[in-house]
Amino acid sequence: MIKPARGFVLIQPLEADEVSAGGVYVPERAKDLPNRGKVVAIGKEPLEWLESRAPDTGWEIRVGDIVYYKKFIDNKIKKEGKEYLIVPFSDILAIDG
């Protein structure tokens, strides 16, 4: 298992939809880069976050969550035929659900 360093999250990107919300087929070259994925592993919180946050708040992302992240992440890793991204905590934009 890949364990991310402090301040990073390991994400498995989800495939882009093949059919639009309106039911129209989206060709491969027209698809946006996926910016949604499943959290596979989480590193420790960045040190600067530990110093600045209130004591009763915690990191709200959990393994298994579907998250949205900034589109142009270039930290790709392939292991056992699967592709993963190493994403800084600060590049995670939202949790789906």
Side-chain angles (χ1 to χ4, degrees), residues 25-33:
Y25 172 76
V26 180
E28 191 67 36
R29 67 176 186 265
K31 291 180 190 174
D32 282 338
L33 294 172

Side-chain angles (χ1 to χ4, degrees), residues 6 10 24 26-27 31 45 53 56-57 71 82 95:
R6 182 179 289 276
L10 183 68
V24 177
V26 180
K31 291 180 190 174
E45 292 177 318
R53 70 177 170 87
D56 61 339
T57 60
K71 279 195 176 199
K82 294 182 181 178
I95 301 170

Side-chain angles (χ1 to χ4, degrees), residues 59-77:
W59 182 238
E60 58 192 50
I61 292 177
R62 305 280 182 253
V63 171
D65 283 349
I66 303 299
V67 295
Y68 290 90
Y69 52 86
K70 291 184 181 179
K71 279 195 176 199
F72 301 104
I73 303 293
D74 196 29
N75 303 328
K76 295 178 184 173
I77 294 175

Side-chain angles (χ1 to χ4, degrees), residues 17-18 26 44 52 55-56 62 64 70 76 84 87 93 97:
D17 293 335
E18 301 227 354
V26 180
K44 293 182 180 179
S52 65
D56 61 339
R62 305 280 182 253
K70 291 184 181 179
K76 295 178 184 173
Y84 300 96
V87 179
L93 305 173

Side-chain angles (χ1 to χ4, degrees), residues 12-51:
Q12 185 174 17
L14 297 176
E15 296 296 322
D17 293 335
E18 301 227 354
V19 178
S20 73
V24 177
Y25 172 76
V26 180
E28 191 67 36
R29 67 176 186 265
K31 291 180 190 174
D32 282 338
L33 294 172
N35 67 329
R36 214 177 80 158
K38 182 178 180 180
V39 175
V40 177
I42 302 171
K44 293 182 180 179
E45 292 177 318
L47 291 175
E48 60 272 12
W49 287 22
L50 294 174
E51 297 166 357

